[in-house]
Amino acid sequence: MEKDQARKLLDELVDRYGQVADRAHKMDGGYPEEQGRVDFIDPMLMAFGWDLRNQANLPHSTREVLVEPTLT
């Protein structure tokens, strides 16, 4: 992703978060962590150039991003 594209995506994510933040805090049970990751964190990391989907086909121990189990 080019720098200009990444900046545009980050601006869009910040705007979108601003639109849902108040509603999310008022939701019964809040905004689920998993949904926050899908909606905001994953796209942000992709804009930074991280290989979230392991397209480099690296072994588990050397991947840039690992999926961790949800803690309760």
Side-chain angles (χ1 to χ4, degrees), residues 5-6 9 11 13 16 18-19 22-23 27 29 31 35 37 40 44-45 47 50 53 55 57-59 67-68 72:
Q5 290 174 309
L9 175 58
D11 286 341
L13 289 170
R16 195 168 4 139
Q19 294 171 6
D22 288 336
R23 286 180 293 174
M27 288 173 43
Y31 198 81
Q35 193 64 52
R37 177 173 176 170
F40 301 104
M44 177 190 67
L45 294 176
W50 288 27
R53 295 188 177 96
Q55 293 177 333
N57 202 27
L58 297 172
V67 177
E68 297 180 3
T72 56

Side-chain angles (χ1 to χ4, degrees), residues 9-57:
L9 175 58
L10 291 172
D11 286 341
E12 290 171 3
L13 289 170
V14 169
D15 289 344
R16 195 168 4 139
Y17 180 78
Q19 294 171 6
V20 300
D22 288 336
R23 286 180 293 174
H25 291 293
K26 294 175 185 174
M27 288 173 43
D28 186 31
Y31 198 81
E33 178 182 350
E34 299 86 356
Q35 193 64 52
R37 177 173 176 170
V38 169
D39 292 347
F40 301 104
I41 297 170
D42 286 356
M44 177 190 67
L45 294 176
M46 290 172 63
F48 292 152
W50 288 27
D51 184 7
L52 269 76
R53 295 188 177 96
N54 192 31
Q55 293 177 333
N57 202 27

